[in-house]
Amino acid sequence: MPIDGSLDSIQLRADRERVMGERSPHFYKETLHLERGKGVWLYGADGRQYLDFYNNVPTVGHSHPHVVNAISRQLAALNTHTRYLYNNAVEYADRLTATVADHLDVCLFVNSGSEANDVAWQISQVVTGNAGLLVMHNAYHGITQAGIAMTPAKGLEPARHVEEIPAPDDYRRAVATPAEAISDTEKAIAELRIREIDLAAFIVDSAMCSSGIPDVPDGFLGAIASTIHAAGGLVIADEVQSGFGRLGAMWGHELLGMQPDIVTLGKPVGNGHPLGVVITSRAVLDEFQAQVRLFSTFGGNPVSCAAGLAVLDVIEREDLITNSLTTGTYLREQLRQLAATQPLIGDVRGRGLLAGLELVTDRETKTPATAQTRELLELMRKNGALVGKDGEHAHILKLRPPLVTTRQHVDLFVDILARSLIEVST
Amino acid sequence: MPIDGSLDSIQLRADRERVMGERSPHFYKETLHLERGKGVWLYGADGRQYLDFYNNVPTVGHSHPHVVNAISRQLAALNTHTRYLYNNAVEYADRLTATVADHLDVCLFVNSGSEANDVAWQISQVVTGNAGLLVMHNAYHGITQAGIAMTPAKGLEPARHVEEIPAPDDYRRAVATPAEAISDTEKAIAELRIREIDLAAFIVDSAMCSSGIPDVPDGFLGAIASTIHAAGGLVIADEVQSGFGRLGAMWGHELLGMQPDIVTLGKPVGNGHPLGVVITSRAVLDEFQAQVRLFSTFGGNPVSCAAGLAVLDVIEREDLITNSLTTGTYLREQLRQLAATQPLIGDVRGRGLLAGLELVTDRETKTPATAQTRELLELMRKNGALVGKDGEHAHILKLRPPLVTTRQHVDLFVDILARSLIEVST
């Protein structure tokens, strides 16, 4: 009997395969059938509730009433596009640009982080006149054709115009110094030049989720950015995963001391409403729009802007960035205590309410516990908590609970994790 | 004094330029400031109401209560992603695939027509192993980097892997025969082969909006599709503009007798909610997903599916496809009557509730009336109706009112058009 084995769920899984394809990505051996969400909780068709420590999209909590009401009210009033004028697109662009560095003063609205990164990459090529791109090792930046080319995490043959920079990994190697970052960046730029490709941009998720959620040392990203600027390239901060308070600060790039030319937003920005934003300087955007007058039909429509504004409201009113920092620190303390008795946990990393647990079969050899990680995810689901995995060997437990997570939720979560770890096959 | 010259609107225009860039695309010399929409009407901050004959996105009418309620209800219950299981993604895929040919039986959900076309193009390359693409002359297929490469309408240097096929134009040339279509297609394929590029796909908006909304002769698209299939390529029907009843039938490709391998949807599919869909066969999708396990975070989320399902409900309940056909026919009859006394209207074309009016300064020379078209749009706005323009010389008036448009709305519109035409400078 499957975990949530009602006839309805079994039938729905078969139907899903029939109408969405048998290889459509899904979680768990028996895909989890959900019916409702509220705050940090998801409610299954099996009548059970699940602590959602996977999902960084509903960043202010599932079905937050302020966001639901803002979207619903705007839907009933007006939904149109940015070739007309309406108050909330301008208001939203104002509120967003007020949160970043002064030189980043304009917004271009799209519908996903993928579209935002695709457009940021187009801007970089037009503004520099070049075609070369640097990414972190095993980076992930989206699903458009241009996005997949900058996503070695997908395991496809690397695109000719893309070079990878090694990610920090002080669990397996020494702490990466800024000098190493500069040298690796220069090496990657030189590799492109051998192929007669000049540098257009460097793009980075400062949380480096798919690169294993490493601790990024002070000065590391700043050193890369300076090297990129010296070589005439633009720096794109992909804040789809690291932004909006996830790391205990509004922006990952600020926390890590990197000065970008373009910031891209996705996932949490509309708490699940499809919304992506490119923030850049007016000079850069004007230069791009002089060549490509890019317009997204849905991008920045009044409903999307209402969603975006409501999320900013909640982050401020409920002081969620402070909560991300303090509850995230508490989460890692609890995880490190657990690691003391659980040898599978090789390392505990992360910032704010992003945590990475590197699981290893042996603390000496640090062998990735890929199979055990997969099993642990299933066990945790059985025990009532949802988490993800990431990294090149899919052995890093990835925790990204909503920013409304409390210490009580953390205690509950760590208890579920502890019970699940005991059940993992040895 | 500007048309809607309240201080608020003037300030908002200045603010828009400041936070969205001075070249951000917008309509009218003084961008129209909107506050509310209902049915076929948009309401301005100037206290005036505008008949919306531009917008094919709110296809069942602005702020349709059934769509508003469906989205609002779902938002309050659950918003998550397709790696979990929930009823309405499966239901929506079922409902959508039931409307197309039997072999098109699976859906992949994204967030815009641009993303849908980008993914369809990725699928074509993976499945054929080739890199060549045919498009219609002056086609438009989206804003991602891959989309812009297939969009000669943007006026950029053509991408190396793209060749154009001439669009029909029986106003200026003879009616295009299927034999000519075959010959033009074979010529384009041969051009690609000279560059050592083999054919992956042909993509077409069967309404051919940016190619001038020509009358597409019977057998024209079918002949191209057969030639593409014989050459080993896939056929992509871009139904972003022509689908969902716009042409007086559910799908443009069906109406025009073309058998596609992939159908892409955008604009009207969620009545303004950011949603895009790729419909294809299970064999094609599985082959693609075996290489690229593509997953869109927002694509096909429960709220987007609720929006999509509600739009299908309204189209059925209000019999909007029949209305598109009958009211569209009435619209063209009235436009042709008007053309009899208005020499600026060179030709009236279109199907269903899509109409193209080719404006010419001289009916003998058929010189495109580009400046007059621009002026007419401003005059119509002043007189209370919103329309678009399209085509290579921006001299085709493009009418795409919501499918809930009645004969009374048409009469009102044609009256505004008649009054505006008289005011155009000569």
Side-chain angles (χ1 to χ4, degrees):
Chain A
M1 188 73 174
I3 298 169
D4 70 280
S6 74
L7 280 176
D8 276 4
S9 297
I10 294 169
Q11 183 61 49
L12 194 60
R13 277 184 209 110
D15 288 343
R16 178 188 191 278
E17 193 165 306
R18 178 173 55 76
V19 294
M20 293 170 68
E22 60 175 327
R23 290 191 174 102
S24 171
H26 63 106
F27 286 144
Y28 305 111
K29 281 179 204 153
E30 307 287 337
T31 320
L32 180 60
H33 184 179
L34 294 173
E35 287 191 334
R36 221 155 38 82
K38 195 79 200 163
V40 300
W41 295 100
L42 284 166
Y43 300 85
D46 55 7
R48 301 184 59 211
Q49 65 185 69
Y50 298 88
L51 199 50
D52 184 5
F53 263 53
Y54 169 75
N55 212 330
N56 61 334
V57 176
T59 199
V60 300
H62 289 280
S63 307
H64 194 291
H66 183 61
V67 181
V68 171
N69 291 339
I71 294 177
S72 303
R73 268 199 312 268
Q74 186 60 53
L75 268 171
L78 175 71
N79 197 9
T80 185
H81 55 73
T82 58
R83 286 196 285 213
Y84 299 116
L85 202 65
Y86 40 91
N87 295 337
N88 73 0
V90 174
E91 186 189 348
Y92 186 45
D94 251 337
R95 290 268 298 270
L96 270 181
T97 53
T99 68
V100 290
D102 286 349
H103 72 287
L104 302 170
D105 55 359
V106 292
C107 292
L108 191 155
F109 297 113
V110 289
N111 308 293
S112 65
S114 288
E115 283 190 347
N117 284 338
D118 191 296
V119 169
W121 173 229
Q122 291 180 56
I123 292 174
S124 304
Q125 292 166 88
V126 166
V127 168
T128 62
N130 295 335
L133 177 67
L134 301 194
V135 301
M136 297 309 295
H137 179 65
N138 209 51
Y140 174 85
H141 295 293
I143 62 164
T144 67
Q145 171 141 308
I148 284 186
M150 58 181 101
T151 292
K154 279 282 170 192
L156 300 177
E157 207 180 312
R160 202 174 160 274
H161 66 278
V162 177
E163 272 292 319
E164 292 182 40
I165 301 176
D169 180 359
D170 66 3
Y171 176 58
R172 286 157 194 282
R173 300 192 304 266
V175 174
T177 63
E180 280 168 345
I182 292 171
S183 150
D184 286 337
T185 305
E186 287 175 342
K187 217 179 292 173
I189 295 171
E191 282 296 327
L192 288 174
R193 287 224 178 100
I194 291 171
R195 302 201 284 277
E196 297 185 342
I197 298 170
D198 283 324
L199 186 68
F202 163 61
I203 184 167
V204 62
D205 154 25
S206 42
M208 298 190 196
C209 279
S210 59
S211 309
I213 318 175
D215 284 328
V216 180
D218 284 351
F220 183 87
L221 282 177
I224 296 180
S226 304
T227 314
I228 297 295
H229 284 142
L234 299 188
V235 171
I236 306 167
D238 174 347
E239 292 281 358
V240 171
Q241 306 223 50
S242 57
F244 267 64
R246 175 56 50 194
L247 305 186
M250 185 64 183
W251 303 115
H253 68 268
E254 266 189 14
L255 187 68
L256 293 164
M258 185 181 82
Q259 178 110 309
D261 304 287
I262 306 176
V263 173
T264 56
L265 314 179
K267 295 197 200 300
V269 71
N271 213 45
H273 183 89
L275 176 57
V277 190
V278 178
I279 310 179
T280 185
S281 67
R282 196 165 154 176
V284 164
L285 185 64
D286 282 351
E287 197 174 335
F288 173 64
Q289 294 273 39
Q291 287 198 46
V292 186
R293 293 203 87 176
L294 199 132
F295 165 76
S296 163
T297 298
F298 302 136
N301 69 65
V303 176
S304 294
C305 291
L309 282 163
V311 170
L312 288 177
D313 288 344
V314 176
I315 288 177
E316 287 168 22
R317 289 178 197 173
E318 301 187 10
D319 201 10
L320 293 184
I321 295 179
T322 305
N323 186 60
S324 175
L325 189 64
T326 56
T327 307
T329 302
Y330 178 73
L331 169 65
R332 263 179 306 282
E333 282 165 12
Q334 301 309 106
L335 292 171
R336 289 200 175 105
Q337 275 188 27
L338 183 65
T341 61
Q342 293 293 339
L344 197 63
I345 304 177
D347 198 26
V348 175
R349 301 190 290 264
R351 287 171 189 261
L353 277 170
L354 172 71
L357 276 75
E358 180 149 357
L359 304 187
V360 292
T361 55
D362 181 320
R363 286 190 175 176
E364 293 305 311
T365 61
K366 300 180 178 174
T367 307
T370 303
Q372 290 83 350
T373 305
R374 197 165 51 231
E375 188 188 356
L376 183 63
L377 257 62
E378 297 279 352
L379 290 166
M380 292 193 73
R381 173 244 176 114
K382 177 180 71 78
N383 292 326
L386 309 178
V387 293
K389 58 178 160 43
D390 215 324
E392 207 171 351
H393 305 288
H395 73 298
I396 319 264
L397 218 61
K398 183 171 61 174
L399 315 182
R400 301 176 298 187
L403 303 189
V404 292
T405 299
T406 64
R407 285 180 175 225
Q408 288 70 37
H409 297 132
V410 167
D411 290 341
L412 196 55
F413 174 80
V414 172
D415 181 58
I416 292 172
L417 176 59
R419 283 190 286 129
S420 305
L421 279 165
I422 293 166
E423 293 182 61
V424 172
S425 318
T426 48
Chain B
M1 187 72 172
I3 299 169
D4 70 278
S6 74
L7 281 178
D8 275 3
S9 297
I10 294 169
Q11 184 61 48
L12 195 59
R13 276 184 211 111
D15 287 344
R16 178 188 190 278
E17 193 165 307
R18 178 174 54 75
V19 292
M20 294 170 67
E22 61 175 325
R23 290 190 172 104
S24 172
H26 64 106
F27 287 144
Y28 305 112
K29 281 179 205 153
E30 307 287 338
T31 319
L32 179 59
H33 184 179
L34 295 173
E35 287 192 335
R36 220 154 39 82
K38 195 79 199 162
V40 300
W41 295 100
L42 283 167
Y43 299 86
D46 54 6
R48 302 184 59 212
Q49 65 184 69
Y50 298 89
L51 199 50
D52 184 6
F53 264 52
Y54 168 76
N55 212 327
N56 61 336
V57 176
T59 198
V60 301
H62 289 280
S63 308
H64 194 291
H66 183 61
V67 181
V68 171
N69 291 339
I71 294 176
S72 303
R73 268 198 312 269
Q74 186 61 52
L75 268 172
L78 175 71
N79 197 9
T80 184
H81 56 73
T82 59
R83 287 196 284 212
Y84 298 116
L85 202 66
Y86 41 89
N87 295 337
N88 75 359
V90 173
E91 186 190 348
Y92 186 44
D94 250 338
R95 290 268 297 272
L96 271 182
T97 53
T99 68
V100 290
D102 286 348
H103 71 287
L104 301 169
D105 55 0
V106 291
C107 292
L108 191 155
F109 298 113
V110 289
N111 307 296
S112 66
S114 288
E115 282 191 347
N117 284 338
D118 190 296
V119 169
W121 173 229
Q122 292 180 56
I123 291 174
S124 304
Q125 293 166 87
V126 166
V127 168
T128 63
N130 295 334
L133 178 67
L134 302 193
V135 302
M136 298 309 295
H137 178 64
N138 210 51
Y140 174 84
H141 295 293
I143 62 163
T144 66
Q145 169 140 311
I148 283 186
M150 57 180 102
T151 291
K154 281 280 169 192
L156 300 177
E157 206 180 312
R160 202 173 160 272
H161 66 277
V162 177
E163 272 292 318
E164 292 181 40
I165 301 176
D169 179 0
D170 67 3
Y171 176 58
R172 285 157 194 280
R173 300 191 304 265
V175 174
T177 63
E180 280 168 345
I182 291 171
S183 150
D184 286 337
T185 306
E186 287 174 343
K187 217 178 293 172
I189 295 171
E191 282 296 328
L192 288 175
R193 286 224 178 99
I194 290 170
R195 301 202 285 277
E196 296 187 342
I197 297 170
D198 284 323
L199 186 69
F202 163 62
I203 184 166
V204 61
D205 154 25
S206 42
M208 297 189 196
C209 280
S210 58
S211 309
I213 317 176
D215 284 329
V216 181
D218 284 349
F220 183 86
L221 281 177
I224 296 179
S226 304
T227 313
I228 297 294
H229 284 142
L234 299 188
V235 171
I236 305 167
D238 174 348
E239 293 280 359
V240 171
Q241 306 223 50
S242 58
F244 267 66
R246 174 58 48 193
L247 304 185
M250 185 66 184
W251 303 116
H253 69 268
E254 265 189 16
L255 186 70
L256 293 165
M258 184 181 82
Q259 178 109 313
D261 305 286
I262 305 176
V263 174
T264 56
L265 314 180
K267 294 195 200 300
V269 72
N271 212 47
H273 182 89
L275 175 58
V277 190
V278 178
I279 309 179
T280 186
S281 66
R282 198 166 153 173
V284 164
L285 185 63
D286 282 351
E287 197 174 333
F288 173 64
Q289 293 273 39
Q291 287 198 48
V292 187
R293 295 203 87 177
L294 198 133
F295 164 76
S296 163
T297 298
F298 302 136
N301 69 65
V303 176
S304 294
C305 290
L309 282 163
V311 170
L312 288 176
D313 288 344
V314 177
I315 288 177
E316 286 167 23
R317 289 180 196 172
E318 302 186 10
D319 202 10
L320 293 183
I321 294 180
T322 305
N323 186 59
S324 175
L325 189 64
T326 56
T327 306
T329 301
Y330 178 73
L331 169 65
R332 264 178 305 282
E333 282 166 12
Q334 301 309 105
L335 292 172
R336 288 199 175 105
Q337 275 187 29
L338 183 65
T341 60
Q342 293 292 340
L344 198 63
I345 304 177
D347 197 25
V348 175
R349 301 191 291 264
R351 289 172 188 259
L353 277 171
L354 173 72
L357 275 76
E358 180 149 356
L359 303 187
V360 293
T361 55
D362 181 318
R363 284 189 176 175
E364 293 305 311
T365 61
K366 298 180 178 173
T367 307
T370 303
Q372 290 82 351
T373 305
R374 197 166 49 232
E375 187 187 357
L376 184 62
L377 258 62
E378 297 279 352
L379 291 166
M380 294 192 72
R381 173 243 176 114
K382 177 181 70 82
N383 292 325
L386 309 178
V387 295
K389 59 179 159 46
D390 215 326
E392 207 170 348
H393 305 288
H395 72 299
I396 320 265
L397 219 60
K398 183 170 64 173
L399 315 181
R400 302 175 298 186
L403 303 188
V404 292
T405 299
T406 65
R407 285 182 175 223
Q408 288 70 37
H409 297 133
V410 168
D411 290 341
L412 195 55
F413 174 82
V414 172
D415 181 58
I416 292 171
L417 175 59
R419 283 191 284 129
S420 305
L421 279 165
I422 292 166
E423 295 181 59
V424 172
S425 320
T426 48

